[in-house]
Amino acid sequence: MRVRRVVLPLVAFVVALVAARSSVEAASDSPCISVDKPYVGTLCTPGGAGRHPAIVFFGGYGGDGEARRLALELAGRGYVTAGVSYFGVAGTPRTLVDVPVETGVAAVTALAARPDVDPARLAVMGSSKGGEYALLVATATPAVKAVIANVPSPFGWYGLGAKGAPTGCSWSRAGRTLPCVHADAAAGQEIWRAMSAGRPIAFRDGYEAARRDTAAVARAFFPLERIAGPVLCLAAGDDQVWNSTAQCEQAVAYLRAHHHPFRSQTASFEGAGHLYLTARAGPGAALNAAPMGGGGRMAFGGSPAADASAARIALETIDRFLSTLAAPPAARNAKGAGTVVRDE
């Protein structure tokens, strides 16, 4: 246990750098405003008369910077958007431990009730831990009509407490902790040895070791069959944080086995790393590794070229998926949910 508490604070430092890099400063002419009720975060509106499709964004462990940035970008494409802070800021849990699913549900409910939102065209989107949370939130309210889960997990992982230490479980509902898969002690020891030797640190092996506890995974799996719409699961083929390709495959396999009536899809981008979506502006924006402190480096996987290519294809895939929300009902029924790498 002591070893894992040494390693994870360094992760917190690295991801804080990612969050800072992705943050968005609100300009005076921005379509976004900050809100603190009934959720904490950002609300962005595209303007124009009538009802618009809507998207609620959840960032990863690094904070809400990327969620706010995506909310701003998608508002410019005709969506009412919300970038939600679900931990780490005033009015939310201090750490990513026992975060209530009700926080995300409140944001979804608020957007669905707006007069400029068409509640039949409301999606949630999240990346990494935010993708995990987006899937969970979608199981908790039928107001979610579609899910975009980027490099996610379809089951609950351990919480990240003070300085990123593995602590309890990540999520709660009605004040009760939801089951989760706990960290693997032996894998934590190996990560510490690699860091001490100055080797790049890939946390994927640690997550994979814990994921082999199939009983724990089954207990922690979200009831995805409750999601009231299609699911798009995006994965990175060279993800060195966790095996997002396998976890997306687990998600669609579960949906298929539980006869989910909507068209669920997964796409895995070969050679891309965990943070590929940050390369939306091109290879120069890619982040494939970062300092951890103490001379170590954390590996996210991928390469600048592979990440930029994946980000471009992912945006095209997301556009096709979301176009079914933006289309009138007759067109939605005719078009289905678009085409991606795999359909289930």
Side-chain angles (χ1 to χ4, degrees):
M1 180 64 70
R2 181 177 63 83
V3 169
R4 286 178 284 161
R5 289 182 179 274
V6 171
V7 173
L8 267 293
L10 302 176
V11 179
F13 173 73
V14 171
V15 187
L17 293 177
V18 177
R21 178 172 176 169
S22 301
S23 63
V24 176
E25 297 294 334
S28 58
D29 59 350
S30 170
C32 305
I33 60 171
S34 295
V35 297
D36 56 14
K37 290 182 181 179
Y39 66 92
V40 179
T42 299
L43 173 69
C44 305
T45 55
R51 291 178 177 264
H52 302 273
I55 310 172
V56 178
F57 293 96
F58 304 110
Y61 179 64
D64 62 1
E66 184 70 356
R68 289 171 181 253
R69 184 181 183 116
L70 283 166
L72 176 61
E73 290 177 12
L74 269 294
R77 301 166 101 160
Y79 294 87
V80 176
T81 60
V84 179
S85 303
Y86 54 95
F87 77 101
V89 300
T92 69
R94 185 173 60 87
T95 61
L96 211 166
V97 178
D98 285 339
V99 173
V101 66
E102 289 87 354
T103 299
V105 170
V108 169
T109 303
L111 253 67
R114 288 179 58 86
D116 57 350
V117 167
D118 179 355
R121 299 183 288 163
L122 191 153
V124 293
M125 177 176 176
S127 293
S128 194
K129 289 297 288 186
E132 185 179 325
Y133 190 54
L135 286 168
L136 175 61
V137 168
T139 71
T141 171
V144 174
K145 303 303 182 185
V147 182
I148 302 165
N150 181 51
V151 292
S153 170
F155 52 87
W157 279 103
Y158 52 85
L160 299 170
K163 298 183 179 180
T167 306
C169 294
S170 294
W171 318 115
S172 70
R173 179 183 285 125
R176 300 183 63 181
T177 299
L178 294 177
C180 68
V181 178
H182 292 282
D184 182 87
Q189 296 277 353
E190 179 56 34
I191 288 170
W192 174 248
R193 284 191 290 271
M195 188 179 71
S196 301
R199 300 196 302 270
I201 308 304
F203 281 80
R204 176 178 173 131
D205 288 346
Y207 277 106
E208 283 296 271
R211 197 168 65 90
R212 286 195 285 271
D213 185 346
T214 56
V217 169
R219 288 191 297 270
F221 221 95
F222 303 143
L224 302 181
E225 68 274 18
R226 298 179 186 174
I227 297 175
V231 175
L232 172 62
C233 199
L234 303 175
D238 189 38
D239 193 330
Q240 294 301 311
V241 173
W242 60 21
N243 191 341
S244 54
T245 297
Q247 291 177 173
C248 273
E249 289 172 351
Q250 284 181 283
V252 296
Y254 179 98
L255 288 166
R256 183 173 63 248
H258 287 76
H259 307 291
H260 191 241
F262 302 92
R263 188 178 178 190
S264 298
Q265 308 167 326
T266 180
S268 183
F269 304 112
E270 184 177 356
H274 189 74
L275 298 181
Y276 78 90
L277 203 54
T278 65
R280 297 190 299 278
L287 188 59
N288 307 112
M292 295 180 67
R297 288 181 67 79
M298 180 175 177
F300 300 117
S303 69
D307 283 12
S309 175
R312 176 182 56 80
I313 297 170
L315 289 178
E316 294 170 354
T317 302
I318 291 169
D319 278 342
R320 287 195 298 269
F321 183 75
L322 292 178
S323 71
T324 66
L325 297 181
R332 286 203 302 272
N333 291 338
K335 290 169 68 177
T339 302
V340 293
V341 174
R342 297 188 201 87
D343 292 339
E344 300 294 343

